[in-house]
Every structure is written in C-alpha cells, then in structure tokens.
Amino acid sequence: MTNVAIIIGTPSEHSRLNGILSFALNFLEGKNVNTEIVNVRDIPAEDLIYAKFDSPAIIEANKKVENADLVIILTPVYKAAYTGVLKTYLDLLPQKALVNKTILPLVIGGTFGHLLVIDYAIKPVLNSLGATNILNGAYVIDQQVERLENNEFSLDKEVEERLEKQLTLLISK
C-alpha cells in the first residue's frame, strides 16, 4: 500500500482550498493508498512560531511526512506566494524530509497573475528539502471553486479534469 501525506497550508477553516482537498480525498479513496493529513492550522501556533522541534504535534506531523511515499501540498496564494503558516511548518521538517518522495503541489489563487507561484515560490523550498520529483501540480482560480452549503464545494469541470490528471500521475509513481 502506498502512503500519501497531505499537507494543508491554509490558516482558514473555510477556505475554498477545501474543495480541492475533498476532490483529492475522493479521488484517492479506493486506490490502495493510505492517506494521512497534516493540517498545519491544527498544530499549536506557539509550537510553529517558536520552532519547538520537540513538540508532540510537530513530531507527529513530521512522522506522517516521513512515512509517506507521496506528498500533496495544498496552499492558497497570499501576497504572491504560499502561506506563511505553510512556510513555518516546512521550516520544521528535517533538512532531507522529501528525499525519494514524489510531490504534488495544488494551489488556489485569486488571479492568473500568480500562476507561476508553484515554479518560483514552492518548488525551490521543496528542492531545499531534498525533493527531486516534483510534479507540475495544478493552479486553480478561486472562482473555479463554488462554495455550496455545509462547507461543501463544486469545482469547474476543467479543474476536475486537471486535478484528476495530476492525481493519476501522482499515484502512478
């Protein structure tokens, strides 16, 4: 069985990123994968800000990444880059935490103006953590994720097709 760690880097509980997360989880269901979630927002802020490497929450999150064969990174774009909360967590991963792992970045942003955030902001940090197999990922405009009731979302058909293509590529690695 393949282990997949999903790192969610949004500080907002009600982010449209949840629509992408739900799609990914539904896609992975029944695909002979074990999925572990690292929701950075659930890690105590003090542990993140003060870099408490010995924090039980940090140790548990890092163990999920360590045990993963595949890693999905989900983040919204804030100020032309991934979120600060995600960066704070990535700084607490061991230096070579992503060696021999296939990484899939999935990003949501407000405009096409931030389309290159994956290549110019996210990939360099992942490379510094030892990642050498980073898939192209998917950049989604927030208008392509419709907010429904009960924290549910509907994605544009084109977005679903792109996500399915990237997720299929991920689990084939």
Side-chain angles (χ1 to χ4, degrees), residues 90-111:
L90 293 175
D91 286 346
L92 297 176
L93 281 170
Q95 185 60 45
K96 296 298 177 188
L98 301 180
V99 169
N100 298 323
K101 299 180 189 313
T102 300
I103 316 296
L104 175 63
L106 301 176
V107 178
I108 191 165
T111 71

Side-chain angles (χ1 to χ4, degrees), residues 20-93:
I20 297 170
L21 172 63
S22 293
F23 184 88
L25 289 171
N26 288 335
F27 177 87
L28 294 172
E29 191 173 310
K31 299 275 194 303
N32 197 32
V33 299
N34 176 48
T35 305
E36 293 280 356
I37 303 283
V38 175
N39 198 333
V40 180
R41 143 180 104 249
D42 294 338
I43 298 172
E46 187 172 295
D47 294 353
L48 291 168
I49 297 299
Y50 292 114
K52 293 185 176 181
F53 290 93
D54 61 346
S55 152
I58 299 293
I59 292 168
E60 179 184 349
N62 288 354
K63 192 71 163 168
K64 291 176 182 179
V65 174
E66 178 186 328
N67 293 335
D69 306 296
L70 311 171
V71 178
I72 300 172
I73 307 243
L74 290 136
T75 184
V77 173
Y78 288 175
K79 308 289 190 237
Y82 52 89
T83 62
V85 71
L86 177 60
K87 176 65 164 108
T88 304
Y89 173 66
L90 293 175
D91 286 346
L92 297 176
L93 281 170

Side-chain angles (χ1 to χ4, degrees), residues 3 14 28 40 43 74 84 101 152 156-157 159 162:
N3 291 318
H14 303 290
L28 294 172
V40 180
I43 298 172
L74 290 136
K101 299 180 189 313
E152 292 185 14
D156 281 0
K157 182 72 173 157
V159 168
R162 287 191 297 120

Side-chain angles (χ1 to χ4, degrees), residues 90-164:
L90 293 175
D91 286 346
L92 297 176
L93 281 170
Q95 185 60 45
K96 296 298 177 188
L98 301 180
V99 169
N100 298 323
K101 299 180 189 313
T102 300
I103 316 296
L104 175 63
L106 301 176
V107 178
I108 191 165
T111 71
F112 282 113
H114 301 298
L115 180 63
L116 296 176
V117 71
I118 293 173
D119 289 330
Y120 293 111
I122 296 173
K123 284 185 178 181
V125 172
L126 301 178
N127 284 331
S128 77
L129 290 167
T132 55
N133 191 13
I134 305 170
L135 302 179
N136 288 335
Y139 180 84
V140 177
I141 301 295
D142 62 5
Q143 295 169 354
Q144 297 175 303
V145 180
E146 181 184 356
R147 188 183 310 274
L148 306 174
E149 295 180 15
N150 301 321
N151 203 29
E152 292 185 14
F153 299 87
S154 173
L155 279 60
D156 281 0
K157 182 72 173 157
E158 181 267 339
V159 168
E160 289 182 352
E161 290 170 0
R162 287 191 297 120
L163 291 174
E164 186 171 324

